[in-house]
Amino acid sequence: MMHAATARRIPALLWLPLGFNVLFLCVNGVFMLIAPKTWYEIVPGVSETGFFNQHFVRDIGIVQLFLGAAFALGAVRPAQRPALWAAATVWLIAHAAFHVWEVAAGICAPSALLRDFAAVSLPALIGVALTAWTWRIRTGRR
């Protein structure tokens, strides 16, 4: 098992991707809650997925905000970090996998994956990397 101080310390290399997930997910979530119609209209590809539903946009906004909060809380609560980051990452992976399925099923063009990469796949990949790092540290593997 790692020394507690080592487990608490997040390497400088991970702060940028961690910051991206925290800021992007929280800001996107707040935007979806405050201005769902504007969010629906300006985010590329969203209006192509179906009619506007403010309730649904706000539901997902709450999820996005909670995901960002999980990454932020994990940064300052090392004991809960693995569970917080893993839980958030599971949702992000499922969301990204759903986007891939939509392309495989012919619902969306393959170009949608590239268009959506920064908002859908990148947070999931960052979550995987952060979660893998924290689990390795927790189990004493480097």
Side-chain angles (χ1 to χ4, degrees):
M1 198 66 145
M2 296 303 286
H3 185 273
T6 304
R8 280 189 202 88
R9 197 172 334 123
I10 297 173
L13 182 65
L14 296 181
W15 279 106
L16 182 62
L18 174 59
F20 174 85
N21 267 15
V22 170
L23 288 175
F24 170 73
L25 294 166
C26 287
V27 169
N28 191 48
V30 168
F31 185 20
M32 293 171 84
L33 289 168
I34 292 173
K37 181 73 168 168
T38 303
W39 180 89
Y40 173 85
E41 291 170 345
I42 70 168
V43 174
V46 171
S47 62
E48 298 167 24
T49 64
F51 295 107
F52 171 70
N53 179 328
Q54 67 83 24
H55 179 98
F56 181 72
V57 172
R58 285 188 166 120
D59 279 349
I60 302 304
I62 292 168
V63 171
Q64 294 278 299
L65 187 55
F66 280 5
L67 295 173
F71 282 105
L73 194 56
V76 297
R77 295 195 166 246
Q80 288 80 34
R81 186 179 295 154
L84 287 165
W85 288 1
T89 299
V90 166
W91 191 92
L92 291 168
I93 291 169
H95 183 215
F98 179 67
H99 279 246
V100 171
W101 175 83
E102 285 184 316
V103 170
I107 296 168
C108 296
S111 61
L113 296 176
L114 185 57
R115 178 196 65 213
D116 299 342
F117 181 81
V120 176
S121 301
L122 184 58
L125 292 171
I126 289 171
V128 167
L130 292 171
T131 302
W133 171 79
T134 198
W135 278 103
R136 286 183 61 194
I137 294 299
R138 185 178 190 121
T139 61
R141 287 185 241 146
R142 291 189 150 222

